């Protein structure tokens, strides 16, 4: 989808979507906003990824469409709407892939029509920018030649150029952007910016790319399957495991940095940063292998992990506890704990993974469940939850990764739970026996506030679930003991719960999750900037841990924030792949001095 | 093509190819060899890659078909011939892709029919094996799960398994196969064997994978374009340069070894090897980082480069020459030679590349042309020679790398020059001005003995050409001086030709090519074994440097030789990719104890 720059094939039918697009284009050409807005259903959604809004935003209903168009239409000057493949109709909904142009770029979208008042009207409308005119990526027919043919007495080889860049970028030449964090998010964005010719430097505290994964507990494997996890440009080969072990992913990320030529400083920690409104420039102090260096990028991107900043509880007695204690992100794996009494605080993904590995290594393990958790079995989730878009089955049916990403992006967050609920009802039915056993063992289980399950929990709060790869059985069977309630305090040798239960412990693992990414900004920049930007992640769904008001997009992610030139990039591999494109295009436009008026910059409602 | 294991789509027409395949299958089922052979045209070719013959061999005409079938039919028990996509007819030739099965495996082929005596008869028939039943590769739907779900107190992680293998393979556990040479050929085969579960160890003398390329002269870029150069399993991303610089390819190969988990010993030199007929086992002595280790593989593969063993001339006076002298394979690049008088002996690819780089760096350069050379301009070759199969144009028309490889493989070597000659006639016309200038400068140019150009020269002799990326202009313009004739001797400061011409020299580069790969066997094993195996490469075309009799396949490459358990693997990236599959399947069958009676084992006619 995003890989071909060719013109789309002509549509083979003259269906309602083709007509709708032609009419819509005519209304836009006539600058007739009411007419264009009237082509949307009473309850409808237009999601725009950068193409119209220089933002990631969703407007709703004719009124929202009118507002978006009133602000952006003249500047965007959209044209050339054309079907990319024949439209299809199923259960009253007509679906059509299309391409279009704006004054500045080329886009691709997905339209769904429903009949309202006997007329096909847009129900969902996705518009995405995939390239800026005059700044097309050097890929495919535009790939570089590599060899420089002919005779050139000033010839500089590829290796010499790479070496020269390594010796200057960040030292004698300032990068336009600095990306803090070299995990999958940072390097996916780094690769995109390299492709777009934006000088960007990724810095990371670890010794080698991939150490972000290598350093985690040793049994860790990805919980998402391979089809969902590709990075931009370079897909995993087809012998890649469904759930890649952490060290294998680590090696892949390391290779990726090299192959994609991402400028990357290892063993580098950002120690402080500040923005000068006057100069329009950051001052970022970093320590690179012990050497203090000051960088002056125009843009600063936090790619430190949406699940990156540990929530470590502040409990009475932590200072007198004589055993070992650490956050789950620092857990070294189970090897040293055979025969030890281990208490794991928490009952989400990390907690289960760690409990399972400790049990396997002969530890005596207790899980402390503080609140209810949603569990789905991995196989079930893969099959029912992701199978249509990301699976061998999807590939066999002609689905590509790029297309699947756009299908996913086209479902409005406002109504996404409605599509999710029936899937989780199916899952509950399929694994009814499993859930019965789990509840019998006293485990507090939920399906999310509205029964919409795991993915909505991820989007709303980024927590509250476990994708079961086996450890849930340990709890159901009582192999891992279960305790309930909040922790009151620690003694020198035990964890004491609020109901007085005392759990003897040689090891306490705080699998207590992670804070909002603006906490990173507080540490690196200032509390003032962190507060100005506000909470990252969440949709404003007014469900548990996702307070309203409704925003309709992931707060502060991949789009402009209330702090000039500060960006947040993160999420799972799917999101790193997909949204890095839109963030990269926003940065590229600014690098090129293109005007980027932001429509609908989100206000701040929560500080963390 | 080789990547999908799904059943082929049903054919949409009932054309001559479908009928031919059904009739052919019926004849084979009936074990009616004369009837099957009679379905081939008077002048026809059946090329088999392992599927029928456990060999790489071409038989010709009904008599050849009868001979192949008489020997193999009962054992192979072929069945299930089915079109893989609709057949096509163009200019009287019907072309059809098909799949089939044998008793042991699954295959894929390409059939071309011509009408003879009013009946469609097979003109070319390609049969290839792509997998052994019960030994399908773990890819796609068969990919490994990666994570091991459930609870397992003996869990071993991926990293632990890899570590354990590194500590045992070749040390306490013997590899089934040892591959000498870790360039593109060795690692492509290593990756295939890893996929097939055959314990194989690649050893290489350099410090890091990719150093085979990094160590070459610094201006070197691949002469073949990216579409032709993919390795198995992991394709270059679409931003990869058309002609990759040597260091970038080096980095790719290094990543490939890691990503494909190829067991690889760096800094390891094989010092001697011998085969015990009694034990059916090799003794291979290697020096690994200075440590002497003895390996006992069942199979030994020389992947040391078909252009690997330097031909260094033995000239009078080489011992008294006071300047620097080296073979082109040891040339460090031009940096040290500014202002120096450089004499390059030879006028093929390496000679031109080296002359060009030396000239660019301000050296005074003379090329000594000893015999005529064929030159084509790179752009012209890419467009006319490769464009239909390996280019963006080919991709846009639906051609895949795997399909292109099979199309290429389906053209019988006996008549391949007939297809090549018109292409080179086109090239001569397109670049007529260039050739006129070259000849005016005194350069001796040819198009091959029969005008069939570069690719036939490559297949027949592996030498005698230059793909011009600019340096030919230096000769045409006189910037690089040209001398002609054989070298008589060296003095302390000059190269003296047989006609008495004396060329003062600070540097002499012997761009004098490479010997047959069995020279490697002579060095490593014994002259006796090298002679038993005989010359590698060449078709037996009775053209210059490719003495007859006709063999019709590359001698000794990727197939059984006259020495049990000794194999030769090499060639360009295309050949390393494509033929590594067939070599890997031959090795896998032997590893599994499957009977592999070789049809038509080639006799030896030349020792080098």
């Amino acid at each position: 989808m995003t890989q071909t720059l060719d013109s789309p094939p002509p549509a083979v039918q003259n269906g309602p979507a083709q007509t709708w697009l032609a009419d819509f284009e005519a209304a836009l050409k006539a600058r007739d906003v009411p007419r264009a807005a009237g082509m949307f259903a009473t309850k409808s959604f237009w999601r725009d990824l950068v193409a119209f809004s220089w933002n990631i935003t969703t407007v709703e209903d004719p009124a929202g469409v009118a507002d978006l168009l009133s602000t952006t239409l003249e500047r965007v000057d959209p044209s050339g709407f054309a079907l990319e493949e024949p439209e299809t109709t199923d259960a009253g909904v007509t679906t059509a892939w299309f391409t279009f142009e704006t004054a500045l770029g080329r886009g691709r979208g997905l339209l769904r029509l429903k009949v309202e008042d006997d007329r096909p009207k847009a129900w969902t409308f996705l518009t995405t920018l995939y390239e800026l005119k005059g700044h097309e990526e050097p890929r495919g027919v535009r790939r570089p030649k590599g060899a420089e043919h002919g005779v050139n007495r000033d010839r500089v080889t590829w290796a010499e150029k790479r070496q020269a860049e390594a010796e200057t970028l960040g030292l004698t030449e300032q990068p336009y952007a600095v990306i803090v964090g070299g995990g999958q998010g940072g390097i996916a964005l780094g690769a995109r910016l390299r492709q777009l010719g934006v000088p960007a430097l990724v810095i990371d505290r670890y010794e080698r790319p991939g150490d972000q994964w290598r350093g985690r507990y040793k049994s860790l494997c990805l919980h998402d399957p391979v089809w969902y996890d590709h990075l931009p440009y370079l897909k995993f080969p087809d012998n890649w495991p469904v759930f890649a072990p952490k060290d294998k992913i680590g090696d892949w990320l390391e290779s990726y940095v090299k192959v994609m030529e991402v400028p990357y400083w290892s063993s580098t920690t950002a120690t402080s940063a500040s923005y000068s409104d006057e100069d329009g420039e950051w001052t970022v102090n970093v320590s690179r292998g012990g050497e203090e260096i000051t960088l002056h990028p125009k843009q600063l991107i936090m790619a430190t992990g949406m699940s990156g900043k540990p929530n470590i509880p502040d409990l009475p007695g932590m200072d007198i506890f004589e055993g070992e204690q650490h956050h789950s992100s620092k857990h070294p794996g189970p090897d040293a704990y055979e025969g030890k009494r281990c208490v794991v605080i928490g009952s989400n993904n990390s907690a289960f993974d760690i409990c399972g590995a400790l049990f396997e290594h002969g530890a005596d393990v207790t899980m402390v469940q503080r609140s209810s958790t949603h569990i789905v079995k991995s196989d079930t989730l893969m099959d029912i939850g992701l199978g249509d878009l990301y699976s061998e089955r999807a590939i066999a049916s002609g689905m590509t990764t790029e297309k699947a990403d756009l299908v996913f992006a086209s479902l409005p967050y406002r109504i996404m739970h409605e599509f999710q609920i029936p899937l989780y009802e199916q899952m509950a039915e399929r694994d009814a026996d499993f859930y019965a056993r789990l509840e019998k063992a006293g485990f507090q289980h939920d399906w999310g506030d509205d029964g919409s399950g795991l993915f909505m929990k991820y989007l709303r709060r980024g927590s509250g679930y476990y994708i079961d790869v086996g450890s849930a059985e340990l709890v159901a069977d009582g192999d891992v003991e279960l305790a309930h309630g909040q922790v009151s305090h620690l003694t020198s040798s035990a964890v004491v719960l609020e109901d007085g239960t005392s759990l003897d412990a040689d090891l306490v693992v705080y699998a207590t999750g992670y804070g909002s990414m603006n906490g990173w900004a507080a540490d690196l920049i200032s509390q003032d900037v962190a507060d100005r930007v506000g909470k990252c992640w969440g949709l404003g769904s007014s469900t548990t841990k996702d307070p309203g008001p409704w925003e309709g997009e992931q707060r502060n992610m991949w789009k402009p924030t209330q702090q000039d030139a500060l960006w947040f990039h993160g999420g799972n591999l799917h999101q790193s792949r997909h949204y890095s494109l839109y963030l990269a295009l926003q940065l590229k436009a600014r690098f090129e001095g293109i005007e980027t008026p932001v429509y609908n910059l989100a206000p701040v409602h929560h500080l963390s």
Side-chain angles (χ1 to χ4, degrees), chain A residues 23-32 36 46 52 69 73 78 81:
Chain A
D23 292 349
F24 186 63
E25 180 167 350
L28 298 181
K29 281 247 156 81
R31 302 293 187 257
D32 187 342
W46 179 352
F52 282 69
L69 286 176
L73 182 54
F81 287 83

Side-chain angles (χ1 to χ4, degrees), chain A residues 374 376 384-385 414-429 447-457 460 543:
Chain A
H374 169 45
V376 281
I384 297 176
R414 176 80 86 175
I415 54 170
M416 193 180 275
H417 61 284
E418 296 174 15
F419 299 95
Q420 296 284 304
I421 290 167
L423 301 180
Y424 287 84
E425 286 172 350
Q426 277 183 59
M427 296 185 208
E429 195 178 319
W447 294 89
D449 287 10
D450 51 4
S452 60
L454 193 140
F455 201 75
M456 294 313 301
K457 274 202 168 186
R460 290 165 171 174
T543 57

Side-chain angles (χ1 to χ4, degrees), chain A residues 225-526:
Chain A
V226 57
W227 311 281
Y228 190 71
D229 294 337
H230 295 295
L231 291 174
Y233 307 112
L234 190 66
K235 294 210 166 79
F236 297 114
D238 70 357
N239 68 348
W240 199 260
V242 177
F243 303 103
K246 71 179 177 73
D247 297 278
K248 192 167 169 71
I249 279 288
D251 287 354
W252 179 263
L253 298 184
E254 188 171 14
S255 289
Y256 186 86
V257 167
K258 183 161 254 186
V259 166
M260 296 307 300
E261 304 182 16
V262 179
Y264 192 103
W265 282 4
S266 297
S267 304
T268 301
T269 310
T271 52
S272 68
S274 60
Y275 188 70
S276 161
D277 284 315
E278 201 172 323
D279 303 333
E281 187 171 283
W282 290 92
T283 296
V284 183
N285 294 306
V286 308
S287 169
R288 184 189 189 191
E291 188 191 355
E292 305 303 314
I293 299 173
T294 300
L295 299 168
H296 292 287
K298 301 290 184 192
Q299 308 287 344
L300 180 64
I301 300 97
M302 303 300 286
T304 36
M306 65 73 71
S307 295
K309 191 169 183 211
N311 270 338
I312 302 174
D314 184 16
L315 299 168
M318 283 172 73
D319 54 333
I320 61 161
F321 178 68
E322 289 171 359
E324 201 179 333
Q325 52 185 327
H326 46 238
H327 187 265
S328 59
S329 60
K330 303 286 183 204
H331 181 65
D335 301 72
Y337 306 106
E338 184 176 341
K340 304 282 185 183
R341 294 161 306 174
C342 304
V343 174
V344 177
I345 317 286
S347 56
N348 288 347
N349 263 332
S350 297
F352 270 100
D353 272 357
I354 290 168
C355 285
L358 286 169
F359 174 81
E360 282 183 348
H361 280 71
D364 171 22
V365 189
T366 302
M367 172 185 279
V368 179
Q369 185 172 32
R370 301 174 303 159
S371 58
S372 93
T373 297
H374 169 45
I375 300 184
V376 281
K377 287 176 112 38
S378 174
D379 290 344
T380 303
L381 181 66
M382 295 311 119
D383 193 18
I384 297 176
L386 284 176
D388 287 348
L389 293 179
Y390 302 99
S391 67
E392 291 297 327
R393 166 159 63 89
I395 292 170
S397 76
M399 184 57 72
T400 65
T401 310
E402 293 74 17
K403 212 165 167 173
D405 288 351
L406 289 179
V407 171
F408 215 99
S410 74
L411 299 174
Y413 288 129
R414 176 80 86 175
I415 54 170
M416 193 180 275
H417 61 284
E418 296 174 15
F419 299 95
Q420 296 284 304
I421 290 167
L423 301 180
Y424 287 84
E425 286 172 350
Q426 277 183 59
M427 296 185 208
E429 195 178 319
R430 181 191 291 201
D431 298 324
D433 173 63
F434 165 73
Y435 292 109
R437 283 187 294 122
L438 208 56
E439 277 156 38
K440 196 169 164 194
F443 191 83
Q444 293 162 10
H445 182 262
D446 71 88
W447 294 89
D449 287 10
D450 51 4
S452 60
L454 193 140
F455 201 75
M456 294 313 301
K457 274 202 168 186
Y458 174 72
L459 292 171
R460 290 165 171 174
R461 52 181 282 196
S463 66
Y465 53 83
Y466 168 52
I467 299 175
D468 180 32
V469 293
S471 297
E473 295 291 349
L474 294 175
V475 170
D477 295 349
D479 288 328
V480 165
E481 287 179 70
L482 194 60
H484 290 284
Q486 299 299 320
V487 179
S488 157
H489 62 279
L490 275 69
T491 68
S492 65
S493 63
V495 174
V496 183
L497 305 185
E498 286 183 345
D499 68 358
T501 305
S502 178
L503 305 166
D504 289 347
D506 302 305
L507 168 70
V508 179
V509 179
Y510 301 103
T512 43
Y514 300 87
S516 162
M517 282 186 78
N518 69 333
W520 293 114
D523 290 355
L524 180 64
I525 308 164
S526 67

